[in-house]
Amino acid sequence: VQLQASGGGLVQAGGSLRLSCVVSGRTFSRYAMGWFRQAPGKEREFVATISGSGSSTYYADSVKGRFTISRDNAKNTVYLQMNSLKPEDTAVYYCACPWGTSIATRPHEYGYWGQGTLVTVSS
Protein backbone atom coordinates (compact mmCIF):
# COMPACT_ATOMS: atom_id res chain seq x y z
CA VAL A 1 0.00 0.00 0.00
CA GLN A 2 1.36 3.40 -0.97
CA LEU A 3 0.06 6.81 -0.06
CA GLN A 4 1.14 10.05 -1.71
CA ALA A 5 0.07 13.26 -0.02
CA SER A 6 0.27 16.71 -1.56
CA GLY A 7 -1.13 20.20 -1.26
CA GLY A 8 0.73 21.64 1.69
CA GLY A 9 2.27 25.09 1.67
CA LEU A 10 2.48 28.49 3.30
CA VAL A 11 -0.75 30.38 3.91
CA GLN A 12 -1.79 33.36 5.98
CA ALA A 13 -4.08 32.99 8.95
CA GLY A 14 -7.68 32.85 7.80
CA GLY A 15 -6.72 31.29 4.49
CA SER A 16 -7.48 27.90 3.00
CA LEU A 17 -5.65 24.88 1.66
CA ARG A 18 -6.75 21.55 0.26
CA LEU A 19 -4.66 18.47 0.86
CA SER A 20 -4.89 15.40 -1.35
CA CYS A 21 -3.74 11.85 -0.83
CA VAL A 22 -3.66 9.23 -3.56
CA VAL A 23 -3.69 5.60 -2.44
CA SER A 24 -2.53 2.59 -4.40
CA GLY A 25 -2.25 -1.10 -3.65
CA ARG A 26 -5.56 -1.46 -1.85
CA THR A 27 -9.25 -1.74 -2.68
CA PHE A 28 -9.68 1.89 -1.72
CA SER A 29 -13.44 2.03 -1.30
CA ARG A 30 -13.48 -0.77 1.29
CA TYR A 31 -11.41 1.12 3.81
CA ALA A 32 -11.76 4.19 5.93
CA MET A 33 -9.08 6.84 5.67
CA GLY A 34 -7.67 9.33 8.11
CA TRP A 35 -5.65 12.50 8.39
CA PHE A 36 -3.26 13.20 11.25
CA ARG A 37 -0.83 16.01 11.96
CA GLN A 38 2.34 16.52 13.92
CA ALA A 39 3.64 19.89 15.02
CA PRO A 40 7.30 20.39 16.01
CA GLY A 41 7.96 18.96 19.43
CA LYS A 42 4.49 17.46 19.72
CA GLU A 43 2.98 14.03 19.32
CA ARG A 44 1.09 13.05 16.22
CA GLU A 45 -2.59 13.88 16.64
CA PHE A 46 -5.79 12.84 14.96
CA VAL A 47 -7.45 15.34 12.64
CA ALA A 48 -10.26 13.60 10.71
CA THR A 49 -11.45 10.25 9.41
CA ILE A 50 -13.94 9.12 6.78
CA SER A 51 -15.63 5.80 6.10
CA GLY A 52 -15.04 3.82 2.93
CA SER A 53 -18.32 4.96 1.40
CA GLY A 54 -17.78 8.54 2.52
CA SER A 55 -21.07 8.56 4.43
CA SER A 56 -19.50 8.87 7.88
CA THR A 57 -16.92 11.37 9.08
CA TYR A 58 -15.44 12.30 12.41
CA TYR A 59 -13.27 15.26 13.40
CA ALA A 60 -11.05 16.40 16.19
CA ASP A 61 -12.67 19.17 18.20
CA SER A 62 -9.85 21.52 17.27
CA VAL A 63 -10.76 21.43 13.56
CA LYS A 64 -14.50 20.79 13.64
CA GLY A 65 -16.37 23.34 11.56
CA ARG A 66 -13.21 24.45 9.74
CA PHE A 67 -11.89 21.28 8.09
CA THR A 68 -13.75 18.88 5.81
CA ILE A 69 -12.61 15.40 4.88
CA SER A 70 -13.92 13.85 1.67
CA ARG A 71 -13.01 11.16 -0.81
CA ASP A 72 -13.35 10.25 -4.46
CA ASN A 73 -13.33 6.48 -4.70
CA ALA A 74 -13.09 6.59 -8.47
CA LYS A 75 -9.76 8.38 -8.12
CA ASN A 76 -8.50 6.52 -5.02
CA THR A 77 -8.07 9.90 -3.39
CA VAL A 78 -8.93 11.40 -0.03
CA TYR A 79 -9.00 15.14 0.57
CA LEU A 80 -8.76 17.49 3.51
CA GLN A 81 -10.22 20.93 2.88
CA MET A 82 -8.87 23.32 5.49
CA ASN A 83 -10.54 26.70 5.94
CA SER A 84 -10.09 29.50 8.45
CA LEU A 85 -6.58 28.31 9.13
CA LYS A 86 -4.85 29.34 12.33
CA PRO A 87 -1.14 29.47 13.22
CA GLU A 88 -1.72 26.54 15.58
CA ASP A 89 -2.68 24.43 12.56
CA THR A 90 0.97 24.54 11.46
CA ALA A 91 2.20 20.95 11.23
CA VAL A 92 3.18 18.13 8.94
CA TYR A 93 -0.05 16.50 7.80
CA TYR A 94 -0.19 12.76 7.16
CA CYS A 95 -2.81 10.68 5.42
CA ALA A 96 -3.16 7.13 6.62
CA CYS A 97 -4.99 3.86 6.04
CA PRO A 98 -6.22 1.88 9.03
CA TRP A 99 -5.50 -1.79 9.54
CA GLY A 100 -9.22 -2.51 9.42
CA THR A 101 -12.07 -1.15 7.35
CA SER A 102 -13.77 1.02 9.99
CA ILE A 103 -13.10 4.63 10.88
CA ALA A 104 -10.48 5.07 13.56
CA THR A 105 -8.98 7.92 15.53
CA ARG A 106 -5.83 6.57 17.15
CA PRO A 107 -2.47 6.35 15.39
CA HIS A 108 -1.88 2.71 16.37
CA GLU A 109 -5.04 1.75 14.49
CA TYR A 110 -3.38 2.81 11.26
CA GLY A 111 -0.92 0.62 9.42
CA TYR A 112 -0.05 2.63 6.34
CA TRP A 113 1.12 6.23 6.23
CA GLY A 114 1.95 8.77 3.59
CA GLN A 115 5.13 10.79 3.62
CA GLY A 116 3.54 13.91 5.05
CA THR A 117 3.01 17.39 3.65
CA LEU A 118 3.96 20.55 5.51
CA VAL A 119 1.35 23.19 6.25
CA THR A 120 2.60 26.49 7.61
CA VAL A 121 0.14 29.15 8.71
CA SER A 122 1.56 32.60 9.30
CA SER A 123 -0.01 35.12 11.64
Side-chain angles (χ1 to χ4, degrees):
V1 180
Q2 293 186 331
L3 296 84
Q4 182 68 45
S6 62
L10 174 64
V11 63
Q12 289 188 332
S16 298
L17 282 174
R18 188 177 81 156
L19 307 183
S20 301
C21 176
V22 180
V23 181
S24 59
R26 208 177 213 194
T27 307
F28 184 70
S29 61
R30 288 189 61 199
Y31 293 88
M33 289 291 299
W35 285 97
F36 289 76
R37 66 187 182 186
Q38 188 166 17
K42 295 188 177 181
E43 294 186 350
R44 191 168 298 189
E45 66 172 356
F46 167 76
V47 174
T49 183
I50 186 168
S51 62
S53 67
S55 61
S56 297
T57 58
Y58 185 76
Y59 297 91
D61 288 342
S62 59
V63 307
K64 201 173 295 182
R66 299 188 298 122
F67 290 11
T68 302
I69 188 171
S70 62
R71 64 192 296 158
D72 184 339
N73 286 343
K75 296 182 178 180
N76 282 16
T77 302
V78 62
Y79 304 98
L80 185 68
Q81 177 67 44
M82 305 185 294
N83 298 330
S84 302
L85 282 161
K86 304 175 182 179
E88 52 262 44
D89 294 318
T90 295
V92 177
Y93 283 72
Y94 298 90
C95 58
C97 295
W99 293 112
T101 59
S102 302
I103 61 174
T105 63
R106 293 171 291 182
H108 75 267
E109 296 178 292
Y110 287 76
Y112 306 97
W113 295 82
Q115 85 285 6
T117 185
L118 177 63
V119 172
T120 303
V121 184
S122 63
S123 56

